[in-house]
Coordinates of all heavy atoms in Angstrom, one line a residue:
L9 N -33.2 85.7 26.8 CA -32.4 85.1 27.9 C -31.0 85.3 27.7 O -30.5 84.8 26.6 CB -32.8 83.6 28.2 CG -32.0 82.9 29.2 CD1 -32.4 83.5 30.6 CD2 -32.5 81.5 29.2
N10 N -30.3 86.0 28.5 CA -28.9 86.3 28.3 C -28.1 85.7 29.5 O -28.2 86.1 30.6 CB -28.6 87.8 28.2 CG -27.1 88.0 28.0 OD1 -26.2 87.2 28.0 ND2 -26.9 89.3 27.7
I11 N -27.4 84.6 29.2 CA -26.5 84.0 30.2 C -25.1 84.0 29.8 O -24.3 83.1 30.2 CB -27.0 82.5 30.6 CG1 -27.5 81.8 29.4 CG2 -27.9 82.6 31.8 CD1 -28.1 80.4 29.9
S12 N -24.7 85.0 29.0 CA -23.4 85.1 28.5 C -22.4 85.4 29.7 O -22.7 85.8 30.7 CB -23.2 86.2 27.5 OG -23.6 87.4 28.0
Q13 N -21.1 85.0 29.4 CA -20.0 85.2 30.4 C -20.2 84.4 31.7 O -19.8 84.8 32.7 CB -19.7 86.6 30.6 CG -19.3 87.4 29.4 CD -19.0 88.8 29.6 OE1 -19.4 89.4 30.6 NE2 -18.3 89.4 28.7
N14 N -21.0 83.3 31.6 CA -21.2 82.4 32.7 C -20.7 81.1 32.3 O -21.0 80.6 31.2 CB -22.6 82.3 33.2 CG -23.1 83.5 33.9 OD1 -22.7 83.7 35.0 ND2 -23.8 84.4 33.2
N15 N -19.9 80.4 33.1 CA -19.4 79.1 32.8 C -20.5 78.0 33.0 O -20.7 77.6 34.1 CB -18.2 78.7 33.6 CG -17.5 77.4 33.2 OD1 -18.0 76.7 32.4 ND2 -16.5 77.1 33.9
I16 N -21.2 77.8 31.9 CA -22.3 76.7 32.1 C -21.8 75.4 31.4 O -21.5 75.5 30.2 CB -23.6 77.2 31.5 CG1 -23.5 77.5 30.0 CG2 -24.2 78.3 32.3 CD1 -24.9 77.6 29.4
S17 N -21.7 74.4 32.1 CA -21.2 73.1 31.6 C -21.9 72.0 32.4 O -22.5 72.2 33.4 CB -19.7 73.0 31.7 OG -19.3 73.1 33.0
G18 N -21.7 70.8 31.9 CA -22.2 69.6 32.5 C -23.7 69.7 32.9 O -24.5 69.8 31.9
N19 N -24.1 69.6 34.1 CA -25.5 69.6 34.5 C -26.2 70.9 34.1 O -27.4 70.8 33.8 CB -25.6 69.4 36.0 CG -25.3 68.0 36.5 OD1 -25.4 67.1 35.6 ND2 -24.8 67.8 37.7
A20 N -25.6 72.0 34.2 CA -26.3 73.2 33.7 C -26.7 73.2 32.3 O -27.8 73.6 32.0 CB -25.3 74.4 34.0
V21 N -25.9 72.6 31.4 CA -26.2 72.5 30.0 C -27.3 71.5 29.8 O -28.3 71.7 29.1 CB -25.0 72.1 29.2 CG1 -25.4 71.7 27.8 CG2 -23.9 73.2 29.2
L22 N -27.3 70.4 30.6 CA -28.3 69.4 30.6 C -29.7 70.0 31.0 O -30.7 69.7 30.4 CB -28.0 68.2 31.4 CG -26.9 67.3 30.9 CD1 -26.5 66.2 31.9 CD2 -27.1 66.7 29.5
Q23 N -29.7 70.8 32.0 CA -30.9 71.4 32.5 C -31.4 72.4 31.5 O -32.7 72.4 31.3 CB -30.7 72.1 33.9 CG -30.4 71.1 35.0 CD -30.1 71.8 36.3 OE1 -29.6 72.9 36.3 NE2 -30.3 71.0 37.4
L24 N -30.6 73.1 30.9 CA -31.0 74.1 29.9 C -31.6 73.4 28.7 O -32.7 73.8 28.2 CB -29.8 74.9 29.4 CG -30.1 75.9 28.2 CD1 -31.1 76.9 28.6 CD2 -28.8 76.6 27.8
C25 N -31.0 72.3 28.2 CA -31.5 71.4 27.1 C -32.9 70.9 27.5 O -33.8 70.9 26.6 CB -30.5 70.3 26.8 SG -29.0 71.0 26.0
E26 N -33.0 70.3 28.7 CA -34.3 69.8 29.1 C -35.4 70.9 29.1 O -36.5 70.6 28.7 CB -34.2 69.2 30.6 CG -33.4 67.9 30.6 CD -33.2 67.4 32.0 OE1 -33.8 68.0 33.0 OE2 -32.5 66.4 32.2
Y27 N -35.1 72.1 29.6 CA -36.0 73.1 29.6 C -36.4 73.5 28.1 O -37.6 73.7 27.8 CB -35.5 74.4 30.2 CG -36.3 75.6 30.1 CD1 -37.5 75.8 30.8 CD2 -36.0 76.6 29.1 CE1 -38.3 76.8 30.6 CE2 -36.8 77.7 28.9 CZ -38.0 77.8 29.7 OH -38.8 78.9 29.4
L28 N -35.4 73.6 27.2 CA -35.7 74.0 25.9 C -36.6 73.0 25.1 O -37.4 73.3 24.4 CB -34.3 74.2 25.1 CG -33.5 75.4 25.6 CD1 -32.1 75.4 24.9 CD2 -34.2 76.7 25.3
E29 N -36.3 71.7 25.4 CA -37.1 70.6 24.8 C -38.5 70.6 25.3 O -39.4 70.4 24.6 CB -36.4 69.2 25.0 CG -35.1 69.2 24.2 CD -34.3 67.9 24.5 OE1 -34.9 67.0 25.2 OE2 -33.2 67.8 24.1
K30 N -38.6 70.8 26.7 CA -39.9 70.7 27.3 C -40.8 71.9 26.9 O -42.0 71.7 26.7 CB -39.7 70.8 28.8 CG -41.0 70.8 29.6 CD -40.6 70.8 31.1 CE -41.8 71.3 31.9 NZ -41.4 71.5 33.3
E31 N -40.2 73.0 26.7 CA -40.9 74.3 26.5 C -41.0 74.6 25.0 O -41.5 75.7 24.6 CB -40.3 75.4 27.2 CG -40.4 75.3 28.7 CD -41.8 75.3 29.2 OE1 -42.7 76.0 28.7 OE2 -42.1 74.5 30.2
K32 N -40.6 73.8 24.1 CA -40.5 74.2 22.7 C -41.9 74.5 22.0 O -41.9 75.3 21.2 CB -39.7 73.1 21.9 CG -40.4 71.8 21.7 CD -39.5 70.8 21.0 CE -40.1 69.4 21.0 NZ -39.1 68.5 20.6
K33 N -42.9 73.8 22.5 CA -44.2 74.1 21.9 C -44.8 75.4 22.5 O -45.5 76.0 21.7 CB -45.2 72.9 22.2 CG -44.8 71.6 21.5 CD -45.7 70.5 21.8 CE -45.3 69.3 21.0 NZ -46.2 68.2 21.3
N34 N -44.6 75.7 23.7 CA -45.2 76.9 24.3 C -44.3 78.0 24.6 O -44.6 78.9 25.3 CB -46.0 76.4 25.6 CG -47.0 75.4 25.4 OD1 -47.8 75.6 24.4 ND2 -47.1 74.4 26.2
S35 N -43.0 77.8 24.1 CA -42.0 78.8 24.4 C -42.2 80.1 23.9 O -42.7 80.4 22.8 CB -40.7 78.2 23.9 OG -39.7 79.1 24.2
K36 N -41.9 81.1 24.7 CA -41.9 82.5 24.3 C -40.5 83.0 24.2 O -40.3 84.2 24.1 CB -42.8 83.3 25.3 CG -44.2 82.9 25.5 CD -45.0 83.0 24.3 CE -46.4 82.6 24.6 NZ -47.2 82.1 23.4
L37 N -39.6 82.1 24.3 CA -38.1 82.5 24.2 C -37.8 82.9 22.7 O -37.9 82.1 21.9 CB -37.3 81.3 24.6 CG -35.8 81.6 24.7 CD1 -35.5 82.5 25.8 CD2 -35.1 80.3 24.9
H38 N -37.5 84.2 22.6 CA -37.1 84.7 21.3 C -35.6 85.0 21.1 O -35.1 85.0 20.0 CB -37.9 86.1 21.1 CG -39.4 85.9 21.0 ND1 -40.0 85.5 19.9 CD2 -40.3 86.1 21.9 CE1 -41.3 85.4 20.2 NE2 -41.5 85.8 21.4
T39 N -34.9 85.1 22.2 CA -33.6 85.4 22.2 C -32.8 84.5 23.2 O -33.2 84.4 24.4 CB -33.2 86.9 22.6 OG1 -33.9 87.7 21.7 CG2 -31.8 87.2 22.6
L40 N -31.7 83.9 22.8 CA -30.9 83.1 23.7 C -29.4 83.5 23.4 O -28.9 83.3 22.3 CB -31.1 81.6 23.5 CG -30.3 80.7 24.4 CD1 -30.6 80.9 25.8 CD2 -30.6 79.2 24.0
I41 N -28.8 84.0 24.4 CA -27.4 84.4 24.2 C -26.5 83.7 25.2 O -26.7 83.7 26.4 CB -27.3 86.0 24.6 CG1 -28.2 86.8 23.7 CG2 -25.8 86.4 24.5 CD1 -28.2 88.3 24.0
L42 N -25.6 82.9 24.6 CA -24.8 82.0 25.4 C -23.2 82.3 25.0 O -22.4 81.5 25.0 CB -25.0 80.6 25.0 CG -26.4 80.1 25.4 CD1 -26.7 78.7 24.8 CD2 -26.6 80.1 26.9
S43 N -22.9 83.6 24.7 CA -21.5 83.9 24.3 C -20.7 83.8 25.5 O -21.1 84.1 26.6 CB -21.5 85.3 23.7 OG -21.9 86.2 24.6
D44 N -19.4 83.4 25.2 CA -18.4 83.2 26.3 C -18.9 82.5 27.5 O -18.7 82.9 28.6 CB -17.9 84.7 26.6 CG -16.6 84.6 27.4 OD1 -15.9 83.6 27.3 OD2 -16.4 85.6 28.1
C45 N -19.4 81.3 27.2 CA -19.9 80.4 28.3 C -19.0 79.2 28.5 O -19.5 78.3 29.2 CB -21.4 80.0 28.1 SG -22.5 81.3 28.3
S46 N -17.9 79.1 27.9 CA -17.0 78.0 27.9 C -17.7 76.7 27.5 O -17.4 75.6 28.1 CB -16.4 77.8 29.4 OG -15.8 79.0 29.8
L47 N -18.5 76.8 26.5 CA -19.2 75.5 26.0 C -18.2 74.8 25.1 O -17.4 75.4 24.3 CB -20.4 75.9 25.2 CG -21.5 76.6 25.8 CD1 -22.6 77.1 24.8 CD2 -22.1 75.7 26.9
N48 N -18.3 73.4 25.2 CA -17.4 72.7 24.3 C -18.4 72.2 23.1 O -19.5 72.5 23.1 CB -16.8 71.5 25.0 CG -17.8 70.5 25.6 OD1 -18.8 70.2 25.0 ND2 -17.5 70.0 26.8
V49 N -17.7 71.4 22.2 CA -18.5 71.0 21.0 C -19.7 70.2 21.3 O -20.8 70.4 20.8 CB -17.6 70.3 20.0 CG1 -18.3 69.7 18.8 CG2 -16.5 71.3 19.5
L50 N -19.6 69.2 22.3 CA -20.6 68.4 22.6 C -21.8 69.1 23.3 O -23.0 68.9 22.9 CB -20.2 67.2 23.6 CG -21.2 66.3 24.1 CD1 -21.9 65.6 22.9 CD2 -20.6 65.3 25.0
E51 N -21.4 70.0 24.2 CA -22.5 70.9 24.8 C -23.2 71.7 23.8 O -24.4 71.8 23.9 CB -21.9 71.7 25.9 CG -21.3 70.9 27.1 CD -20.4 71.6 28.0 OE1 -19.8 72.7 27.6 OE2 -20.2 71.2 29.2
A52 N -22.4 72.4 22.9 CA -23.1 73.2 21.9 C -24.0 72.4 21.0 O -25.1 72.7 20.7 CB -22.0 73.9 21.0
S53 N -23.5 71.2 20.7 CA -24.4 70.2 19.8 C -25.6 69.8 20.5 O -26.7 69.9 19.9 CB -23.5 69.0 19.5 OG -24.2 68.1 18.8
N54 N -25.6 69.6 21.8 CA -26.8 69.3 22.6 C -27.8 70.5 22.6 O -29.0 70.3 22.5 CB -26.4 68.8 24.0 CG -25.8 67.5 24.1 OD1 -25.9 66.7 23.2 ND2 -25.0 67.3 25.1
I55 N -27.2 71.7 22.8 CA -28.1 72.8 22.8 C -28.8 73.1 21.4 O -29.9 73.3 21.3 CB -27.3 74.1 23.2 CG1 -26.9 74.0 24.7 CG2 -28.2 75.3 23.0 CD1 -25.9 75.0 25.2
F56 N -27.9 72.9 20.3 CA -28.5 73.0 19.0 C -29.6 72.0 18.7 O -30.6 72.4 18.2 CB -27.4 72.8 17.9 CG -26.7 74.1 17.6 CD1 -25.3 74.1 17.9 CD2 -27.2 75.2 17.1 CE1 -24.5 75.3 17.6 CE2 -26.5 76.4 16.9 CZ -25.2 76.4 17.1
A57 N -29.4 70.8 19.2 CA -30.4 69.8 19.0 C -31.6 70.1 19.7 O -32.8 69.9 19.2 CB -29.8 68.4 19.5
S58 N -31.5 70.7 20.9 CA -32.7 71.0 21.7 C -33.5 72.2 21.1 O -34.7 72.3 21.2 CB -32.3 71.4 23.1 OG -31.7 70.3 23.8
L59 N -32.7 73.0 20.3 CA -33.3 74.2 19.7 C -33.9 73.9 18.3 O -34.6 74.7 17.7 CB -32.3 75.3 19.6 CG -32.0 76.0 21.0 CD1 -30.8 77.0 20.7 CD2 -33.2 76.8 21.5
A60 N -33.6 72.7 17.8 CA -33.8 72.4 16.4 C -35.3 72.7 16.0 O -35.5 73.1 14.8 CB -33.4 71.0 16.1
K61 N -36.2 72.4 16.8 CA -37.6 72.6 16.5 C -38.3 73.7 17.1 O -39.5 73.9 17.0 CB -38.4 71.3 16.8 CG -37.9 70.1 16.1 CD -38.6 68.8 16.5 CE -38.1 67.7 15.7 NZ -38.7 66.4 16.1
N62 N -37.5 74.6 17.6 CA -38.0 75.9 18.3 C -38.4 76.9 17.2 O -37.5 77.4 16.6 CB -37.1 76.4 19.3 CG -37.7 77.5 20.1 OD1 -38.3 78.4 19.6 ND2 -37.5 77.4 21.4
K63 N -39.6 77.1 17.0 CA -40.1 78.0 15.9 C -40.1 79.5 16.4 O -40.3 80.4 15.6 CB -41.5 77.6 15.4 CG -41.5 76.2 15.0 CD -41.7 76.0 13.5 CE -42.0 74.7 13.1 NZ -40.8 73.9 12.6
H64 N -40.0 79.7 17.7 CA -40.1 81.1 18.2 C -38.8 81.8 18.3 O -38.8 83.0 18.3 CB -40.8 81.0 19.6 CG -42.2 80.4 19.6 ND1 -43.2 81.1 19.2 CD2 -42.6 79.2 20.0 CE1 -44.3 80.3 19.2 NE2 -43.9 79.1 19.7
L65 N -37.7 81.0 18.4 CA -36.4 81.6 18.6 C -36.0 82.5 17.4 O -36.0 81.9 16.3 CB -35.4 80.5 19.0 CG -34.0 81.1 19.5 CD1 -34.2 81.6 20.9 CD2 -33.0 80.0 19.5
K66 N -35.7 83.7 17.6 CA -35.3 84.6 16.5 C -33.8 84.9 16.5 O -33.2 85.3 15.5 CB -36.1 85.9 16.5 CG -37.6 85.7 16.5 CD -38.1 85.1 15.2 CE -39.5 84.9 15.2 NZ -40.0 83.9 14.3
Y67 N -33.2 84.9 17.7 CA -31.8 85.2 17.8 C -31.1 84.3 18.7 O -31.5 84.1 19.9 CB -31.7 86.7 18.3 CG -30.3 87.2 18.5 CD1 -29.6 87.7 17.4 CD2 -29.6 87.2 19.7 CE1 -28.3 88.1 17.4 CE2 -28.3 87.6 19.8 CZ -27.6 88.1 18.7 OH -26.4 88.5 18.8
F68 N -30.0 83.7 18.3 CA -29.2 82.8 19.1 C -27.7 83.2 18.9 O -27.2 83.2 17.8 CB -29.5 81.4 18.6 CG -28.7 80.3 19.3 CD1 -28.8 80.2 20.7 CD2 -28.0 79.4 18.6 CE1 -28.1 79.2 21.4 CE2 -27.2 78.4 19.3 CZ -27.3 78.3 20.7
D69 N -27.1 83.4 20.0 CA -25.7 83.8 20.0 C -24.8 82.8 20.8 O -25.0 82.7 22.0 CB -25.4 85.2 20.5 CG -24.0 85.7 20.5 OD1 -23.1 84.9 20.1 OD2 -23.8 86.9 20.9
I70 N -23.9 82.1 20.1 CA -23.0 81.2 20.8 C -21.6 81.5 20.5 O -20.7 80.7 20.6 CB -23.4 79.7 20.4 CG1 -22.8 78.7 21.2 CG2 -23.0 79.5 18.9 CD1 -23.3 77.3 21.0
S71 N -21.3 82.8 20.3 CA -20.0 83.2 19.9 C -19.0 83.1 21.1 O -19.4 83.1 22.3 CB -20.0 84.7 19.4 OG -20.5 85.5 20.3
D72 N -17.7 83.2 20.8 CA -16.7 83.3 21.9 C -16.7 82.1 22.8 O -16.6 82.3 24.0 CB -16.7 84.6 22.6 CG -16.4 85.8 21.7 OD1 -15.6 85.6 20.8 OD2 -17.1 86.8 21.9
N73 N -17.0 80.9 22.4 CA -16.9 79.7 23.2 C -15.7 78.8 22.8 O -15.1 79.1 21.9 CB -18.3 78.9 23.1 CG -19.3 79.5 24.0 OD1 -19.3 79.3 25.2 ND2 -20.2 80.3 23.4
N74 N -15.6 77.7 23.4 CA -14.5 76.8 23.2 C -14.8 75.8 22.1 O -14.1 74.8 21.9 CB -14.2 76.0 24.5 CG -13.7 76.9 25.6 OD1 -13.2 77.9 25.4 ND2 -14.0 76.4 26.8
C75 N -15.7 76.1 21.2 CA -16.1 75.2 20.2 C -15.2 75.5 18.9 O -15.6 76.3 18.1 CB -17.6 75.4 19.8 SG -18.6 75.4 21.2
L76 N -14.2 74.8 18.8 CA -13.3 75.0 17.7 C -13.9 74.5 16.4 O -13.6 75.0 15.3 CB -11.9 74.2 17.9 CG -11.1 74.6 19.2 CD1 -9.9 73.7 19.3 CD2 -10.7 76.1 19.0
Q77 N -14.8 73.5 16.5 CA -15.4 73.0 15.2 C -16.9 73.4 15.2 O -17.7 72.7 14.8 CB -15.3 71.5 15.2 CG -13.9 71.0 15.1 CD -13.6 70.1 16.4 OE1 -14.4 70.0 17.3 NE2 -12.5 69.4 16.3
L78 N -17.2 74.7 15.6 CA -18.5 75.1 15.8 C -19.3 75.1 14.4 O -20.4 74.7 14.3 CB -18.6 76.6 16.3 CG -20.0 77.2 16.7 CD1 -20.7 76.2 17.6 CD2 -19.8 78.5 17.2
S79 N -18.6 75.4 13.3 CA -19.3 75.4 12.0 C -19.7 73.9 11.7 O -20.8 73.7 11.1 CB -18.4 75.9 10.9 OG -17.2 75.2 10.8
T80 N -19.0 73.0 12.1 CA -19.3 71.6 11.8 C -20.6 71.2 12.7 O -21.5 70.5 12.2 CB -18.1 70.6 12.2 OG1 -17.0 71.0 11.5 CG2 -18.5 69.2 12.0
V81 N -20.6 71.6 13.9 CA -21.7 71.4 14.8 C -23.0 72.0 14.2 O -24.0 71.3 14.1 CB -21.5 72.0 16.2 CG1 -22.8 71.9 17.1 CG2 -20.4 71.3 16.9
I82 N -22.9 73.2 13.8 CA -24.1 73.9 13.1 C -24.6 73.1 11.9 O -25.7 72.9 11.8 CB -23.7 75.4 12.8 CG1 -23.4 76.2 14.1 CG2 -24.8 76.0 12.0 CD1 -22.8 77.6 13.8
A83 N -23.6 72.8 11.1 CA -24.0 72.0 9.9 C -24.7 70.7 10.2 O -25.7 70.3 9.5 CB -22.8 71.8 9.0
Q84 N -24.2 70.0 11.2 CA -24.8 68.7 11.5 C -26.2 68.9 12.1 O -27.1 68.1 11.8 CB -23.9 68.0 12.6 CG -22.6 67.4 12.0 CD -21.7 66.9 13.1 OE1 -22.0 67.1 14.3 NE2 -20.7 66.2 12.6
C85 N -26.4 69.9 12.9 CA -27.7 70.1 13.6 C -28.7 70.7 12.6 O -29.9 70.5 12.8 CB -27.5 71.1 14.8 SG -26.6 70.3 16.1
L86 N -28.3 71.3 11.5 CA -29.3 71.9 10.6 C -29.7 70.8 9.5 O -30.6 71.1 8.8 CB -28.6 73.1 9.9 CG -28.4 74.3 10.8 CD1 -27.8 75.4 10.0 CD2 -29.7 74.8 11.4
Q87 N -29.1 69.7 9.5 CA -29.5 68.6 8.6 C -30.8 68.0 8.9 O -31.2 67.9 10.0 CB -28.4 67.5 8.5 CG -27.2 68.1 7.9 CD -26.1 67.0 7.9 OE1 -26.2 65.9 8.4 NE2 -24.9 67.3 7.3

């Protein structure tokens, strides 16, 4: 799923997180590209948390977003 270069924030992020959490057991999602989507740290953190138990995802790209502390978000979500 490639939704890069789209400004997804607020409700769109919440809907994406709900989908990822709901479908994590039966998901066939192997790729999620969210580069340049104007995500902030909180939105990125919510997406990471939703993906934390997804065993099928092989590629995740969140580059070029507004997440100045992205490495901190990743570290927190991987704990």
Side-chain angles (χ1 to χ4, degrees):
L9 178 61
N10 184 349
I11 36 184
S12 60
Q13 297 182 342
N14 286 286
N15 185 357
I16 60 166
S17 60
N19 287 337
V21 171
L22 292 175
Q23 290 175 340
L24 176 61
C25 291
E26 286 175 8
Y27 171 78
L28 294 170
E29 290 173 14
K30 178 181 159 189
E31 296 296 322
K32 66 184 171 191
K33 291 182 181 178
N34 299 319
S35 178
K36 303 295 183 208
L37 184 67
H38 296 278
T39 302
L40 180 58
I41 303 172
L42 299 170
S43 63
D44 195 21
C45 288
S46 301
L47 296 172
N48 63 38
V49 172
L50 179 60
E51 292 164 339
S53 180
N54 289 337
I55 292 169
F56 277 118
S58 297
L59 289 172
K61 296 180 182 177
N62 188 314
K63 306 253 188 259
H64 300 284
L65 193 69
K66 304 294 181 205
Y67 182 79
F68 179 56
D69 181 358
I70 196 170
S71 61
D72 298 324
N73 278 283
N74 298 333
C75 307
L76 298 178
Q77 299 120 349
L78 187 56
S79 60
T80 303
V81 171
I82 294 169
Q84 289 174 345
C85 292
L86 293 177
Q87 292 179 356

